[in-house]
PDB file of all heavy atoms in Angstrom:
ATOM      1  N   MET G   1      48.110  69.378 -46.052  1.00  0.00           N
ATOM      2  CA  MET G   1      47.053  69.517 -47.022  1.00  0.00           C
ATOM      3  C   MET G   1      45.731  69.641 -46.300  1.00  0.00           C
ATOM      4  O   MET G   1      44.959  68.694 -46.259  1.00  0.00           O
ATOM      5  CB  MET G   1      47.031  68.336 -47.985  1.00  0.00           C
ATOM      6  CG  MET G   1      47.701  68.609 -49.301  1.00  0.00           C
ATOM      7  SD  MET G   1      47.633  67.196 -50.432  1.00  0.00           S
ATOM      8  CE  MET G   1      45.906  67.054 -50.752  1.00  0.00           C
ATOM      9  N   ASN G   2      45.478  70.752 -45.720  1.00  0.00           N
ATOM     10  CA  ASN G   2      44.165  71.054 -45.144  1.00  0.00           C
ATOM     11  C   ASN G   2      43.658  69.961 -44.212  1.00  0.00           C
ATOM     12  O   ASN G   2      42.561  69.459 -44.374  1.00  0.00           O
ATOM     13  CB  ASN G   2      43.171  71.324 -46.272  1.00  0.00           C
ATOM     14  CG  ASN G   2      41.948  72.057 -45.765  1.00  0.00           C
ATOM     15  OD1 ASN G   2      41.976  72.630 -44.685  1.00  0.00           O
ATOM     16  ND2 ASN G   2      40.889  72.054 -46.530  1.00  0.00           N
ATOM     17  N   GLY G   3      44.481  69.586 -43.248  1.00  0.00           N
ATOM     18  CA  GLY G   3      44.068  68.603 -42.268  1.00  0.00           C
ATOM     19  C   GLY G   3      44.291  67.164 -42.662  1.00  0.00           C
ATOM     20  O   GLY G   3      44.041  66.268 -41.865  1.00  0.00           O
ATOM     21  N   HIS G   4      44.724  66.911 -43.876  1.00  0.00           N
ATOM     22  CA  HIS G   4      45.001  65.556 -44.325  1.00  0.00           C
ATOM     23  C   HIS G   4      46.478  65.244 -44.098  1.00  0.00           C
ATOM     24  O   HIS G   4      47.328  66.115 -44.214  1.00  0.00           O
ATOM     25  CB  HIS G   4      44.699  65.377 -45.818  1.00  0.00           C
ATOM     26  CG  HIS G   4      43.262  65.567 -46.161  1.00  0.00           C
ATOM     27  ND1 HIS G   4      42.293  64.643 -45.862  1.00  0.00           N
ATOM     28  CD2 HIS G   4      42.629  66.593 -46.776  1.00  0.00           C
ATOM     29  CE1 HIS G   4      41.133  65.078 -46.288  1.00  0.00           C
ATOM     30  NE2 HIS G   4      41.309  66.266 -46.838  1.00  0.00           N
ATOM     31  N   GLN G   5      46.762  64.005 -43.797  1.00  0.00           N
ATOM     32  CA  GLN G   5      48.144  63.542 -43.695  1.00  0.00           C
ATOM     33  C   GLN G   5      48.549  63.023 -45.074  1.00  0.00           C
ATOM     34  O   GLN G   5      47.858  62.184 -45.642  1.00  0.00           O
ATOM     35  CB  GLN G   5      48.271  62.424 -42.649  1.00  0.00           C
ATOM     36  CG  GLN G   5      47.896  62.855 -41.252  1.00  0.00           C
ATOM     37  CD  GLN G   5      48.841  63.913 -40.698  1.00  0.00           C
ATOM     38  OE1 GLN G   5      50.031  63.915 -40.972  1.00  0.00           O
ATOM     39  NE2 GLN G   5      48.301  64.819 -39.922  1.00  0.00           N
ATOM     40  N   VAL G   6      49.631  63.559 -45.610  1.00  0.00           N
ATOM     41  CA  VAL G   6      50.075  63.116 -46.929  1.00  0.00           C
ATOM     42  C   VAL G   6      51.512  62.620 -46.851  1.00  0.00           C
ATOM     43  O   VAL G   6      52.301  63.080 -46.025  1.00  0.00           O
ATOM     44  CB  VAL G   6      49.962  64.224 -47.997  1.00  0.00           C
ATOM     45  CG1 VAL G   6      48.529  64.603 -48.242  1.00  0.00           C
ATOM     46  CG2 VAL G   6      50.785  65.432 -47.634  1.00  0.00           C
ATOM     47  N   LEU G   7      51.819  61.692 -47.704  1.00  0.00           N
ATOM     48  CA  LEU G   7      53.152  61.134 -47.800  1.00  0.00           C
ATOM     49  C   LEU G   7      53.606  61.306 -49.236  1.00  0.00           C
ATOM     50  O   LEU G   7      52.951  60.825 -50.158  1.00  0.00           O
ATOM     51  CB  LEU G   7      53.109  59.649 -47.409  1.00  0.00           C
ATOM     52  CG  LEU G   7      54.410  58.888 -47.365  1.00  0.00           C
ATOM     53  CD1 LEU G   7      55.371  59.495 -46.341  1.00  0.00           C
ATOM     54  CD2 LEU G   7      54.143  57.422 -47.037  1.00  0.00           C
ATOM     55  N   SER G   8      54.686  62.050 -49.431  1.00  0.00           N
ATOM     56  CA  SER G   8      55.202  62.224 -50.787  1.00  0.00           C
ATOM     57  C   SER G   8      56.425  61.341 -50.982  1.00  0.00           C
ATOM     58  O   SER G   8      57.182  61.093 -50.049  1.00  0.00           O
ATOM     59  CB  SER G   8      55.540  63.691 -51.057  1.00  0.00           C
ATOM     60  OG  SER G   8      56.549  64.137 -50.174  1.00  0.00           O
ATOM     61  N   HIS G   9      56.576  60.863 -52.197  1.00  0.00           N
ATOM     62  CA  HIS G   9      57.668  59.965 -52.539  1.00  0.00           C
ATOM     63  C   HIS G   9      58.521  60.622 -53.617  1.00  0.00           C
ATOM     64  O   HIS G   9      58.054  60.849 -54.736  1.00  0.00           O
ATOM     65  CB  HIS G   9      57.136  58.635 -53.087  1.00  0.00           C
ATOM     66  CG  HIS G   9      56.149  57.957 -52.202  1.00  0.00           C
ATOM     67  ND1 HIS G   9      56.525  57.168 -51.140  1.00  0.00           N
ATOM     68  CD2 HIS G   9      54.795  57.959 -52.207  1.00  0.00           C
ATOM     69  CE1 HIS G   9      55.452  56.697 -50.545  1.00  0.00           C
ATOM     70  NE2 HIS G   9      54.388  57.168 -51.174  1.00  0.00           N
ATOM     71  N   CYS G  10      59.754  60.929 -53.280  1.00  0.00           N
ATOM     72  CA  CYS G  10      60.711  61.504 -54.218  1.00  0.00           C
ATOM     73  C   CYS G  10      62.004  60.716 -54.094  1.00  0.00           C
ATOM     74  O   CYS G  10      62.337  60.230 -53.018  1.00  0.00           O
ATOM     75  CB  CYS G  10      60.992  62.965 -53.901  1.00  0.00           C
ATOM     76  SG  CYS G  10      59.522  64.003 -53.850  1.00  0.00           S
ATOM     77  N   VAL G  11      62.720  60.586 -55.195  1.00  0.00           N
ATOM     78  CA  VAL G  11      64.005  59.895 -55.156  1.00  0.00           C
ATOM     79  C   VAL G  11      65.057  60.743 -55.854  1.00  0.00           C
ATOM     80  O   VAL G  11      64.747  61.532 -56.746  1.00  0.00           O
ATOM     81  CB  VAL G  11      63.946  58.488 -55.807  1.00  0.00           C
ATOM     82  CG1 VAL G  11      63.050  57.564 -55.020  1.00  0.00           C
ATOM     83  CG2 VAL G  11      63.530  58.560 -57.258  1.00  0.00           C
ATOM     84  N   ARG G  12      66.278  60.566 -55.434  1.00  0.00           N
ATOM     85  CA  ARG G  12      67.431  61.151 -56.121  1.00  0.00           C
ATOM     86  C   ARG G  12      68.351  59.982 -56.442  1.00  0.00           C
ATOM     87  O   ARG G  12      68.646  59.157 -55.602  1.00  0.00           O
ATOM     88  CB  ARG G  12      68.159  62.157 -55.246  1.00  0.00           C
ATOM     89  CG  ARG G  12      69.445  62.658 -55.913  1.00  0.00           C
ATOM     90  CD  ARG G  12      70.124  63.723 -55.090  1.00  0.00           C
ATOM     91  NE  ARG G  12      69.354  64.943 -55.310  1.00  0.00           N
ATOM     92  CZ  ARG G  12      69.520  66.057 -54.601  1.00  0.00           C
ATOM     93  NH1 ARG G  12      70.382  66.093 -53.613  1.00  0.00           N
ATOM     94  NH2 ARG G  12      68.801  67.117 -54.862  1.00  0.00           N
TER      95      ARG G  12
END
Side-chain angles (χ1 to χ4, degrees):
M1 261 181 65
N2 198 17
H4 297 286
Q5 298 295 325
V6 295
L7 183 61
S8 62
H9 306 277
C10 304
V11 295
R12 174 176 283 170

